[in-house]
Amino acid sequence: GQQLNQSPQSMFIQEGEDVSMNCTSSSIFNTWLWYKQDPGEGPVLLIALYKAGELTSNGRLTAQFGITRKDSFLNISASIPSDVGIYFCAGQGETSGSRLTFGEGTQLTVNP
Amino acid sequence: DGGITQSPKYLFRKEGQNVTLSCEQNLNHDAMYWYRQDPGQGLRLIYYSQIVNDFQKGDIAEGYSVSREKKESFPLTVTSAQKNPTAFYLCASSPTGLAGAFEQFFGPGTRLTVL
């Protein structure tokens, strides 16, 4: 089946720093989604990408749909303590219907 | 307010018992999903349903069962056949046939502990 490699697994940064994380796939995806999960809660959708090369922002968050359609990137600028959580990428492939494939997540820790 | 509700938030069961987790949505979404999340891991798909009275197995369906009698509801039963049921269970829904059809929205989750 389709697999997503998400990196890094964890990040420890200082408040105010910028953050970058990415996901790569072994196959082409039509849709890339980025979620954030707080401890003990369900994931919340941050950004959805539908076209190769698309660059979309949501406040301090920016995500890009890779031109090869096999990767996506999420950047967080000027991090703040409430950015702490687990960030997941998810992709929808050409043959998967409405099913999503999720990455393993990036655990972000922000030190004040 | 539109959204997805899961109940209860915490659930304890004795080994050998079946237990049913509730998931309700008022978003008018056609598709609904159940995921399992273990500590430090990603989300694994248990079952999904794209329309009422129809559902498909996901990647880890063994030991679980579902029903989809109403558009709004997609309950998950964890049976005694599930060897390692202690986990965090997440329900999600998504629209179909529209722009944004693959955007899944999640409930708050149910943490199941087997004693």
Side-chain angles (χ1 to χ4, degrees):
Chain A
Q2 295 168 324
Q3 293 189 353
L4 278 182
N5 294 311
Q6 184 170 353
S7 65
Q9 275 191 315
S10 60
M11 302 183 74
F12 298 84
I13 63 170
Q14 293 297 125
E15 183 176 358
E17 290 183 356
D18 296 344
V19 172
S20 290
M21 58 191 79
N22 70 86
C23 280
T24 58
S25 168
S26 56
S27 54
I28 289 173
F29 279 173
N30 291 329
T31 302
W32 284 97
L33 305 169
W34 284 92
Y35 290 86
K36 183 194 176 198
Q37 185 179 28
D38 291 328
E41 301 294 331
V44 174
L45 182 63
L46 300 173
I47 293 178
L49 302 160
Y50 285 94
K51 286 167 41 174
E54 180 180 356
L55 186 71
T56 298
S57 293
N58 178 6
R60 293 178 294 105
L61 277 62
T62 301
Q64 184 163 24
F65 193 139
I67 199 73
T68 65
R69 295 171 65 193
K70 292 185 176 182
D71 57 6
S72 180
F73 304 86
L74 176 70
N75 296 316
I76 305 173
S77 63
S79 59
I80 59 178
S82 62
D83 290 334
V84 166
I86 304 175
Y87 292 80
F88 290 101
C89 63
Q92 182 268 336
E94 293 184 309
T95 60
S96 62
S98 65
R99 291 182 58 159
L100 297 178
T101 300
F102 283 83
E104 294 288 315
T106 295
Q107 172 73 61
L108 178 64
T109 301
V110 180
N111 296 314
Chain B
D1 270 67
I4 303 174
T5 56
Q6 291 185 243
S7 61
K9 181 68 174 174
Y10 299 95
L11 190 55
F12 298 88
R13 80 149 215 225
K14 291 183 180 179
E15 206 168 327
Q17 290 180 337
N18 292 354
V19 62
T20 298
L21 282 59
S22 168
C23 179
E24 304 278 332
Q25 56 100 359
N26 60 5
L27 300 168
N28 200 33
H29 285 170
D30 291 310
M32 297 187 74
Y33 312 80
W34 274 105
Y35 293 90
R36 170 183 172 136
Q37 187 177 29
D38 293 287
Q41 296 190 29
L43 280 65
R44 292 186 289 169
L45 183 64
I46 304 172
Y47 268 99
Y48 65 107
S49 167
Q50 295 187 305
I51 196 168
V52 174
N53 293 321
D54 188 43
F55 49 83
Q56 287 80 40
K57 292 182 179 180
D59 300 318
I60 56 165
E62 185 175 350
Y64 300 98
S65 66
V66 293
S67 63
R68 186 86 188 277
E69 297 177 1
K70 298 187 300 181
K71 186 176 185 178
E72 303 80 18
S73 179
F74 191 40
L76 173 74
T77 297
V78 184
T79 75
S80 56
Q82 169 50 235
K83 299 303 179 191
N84 186 20
T86 295
F88 190 48
Y89 290 88
L90 288 160
C91 178
S93 70
S94 69
T96 56
L98 301 168
F102 306 114
E103 297 175 14
Q104 292 184 16
F105 296 88
F106 286 84
T110 292
R111 186 166 299 281
L112 172 64
T113 302
V114 174
L115 305 172

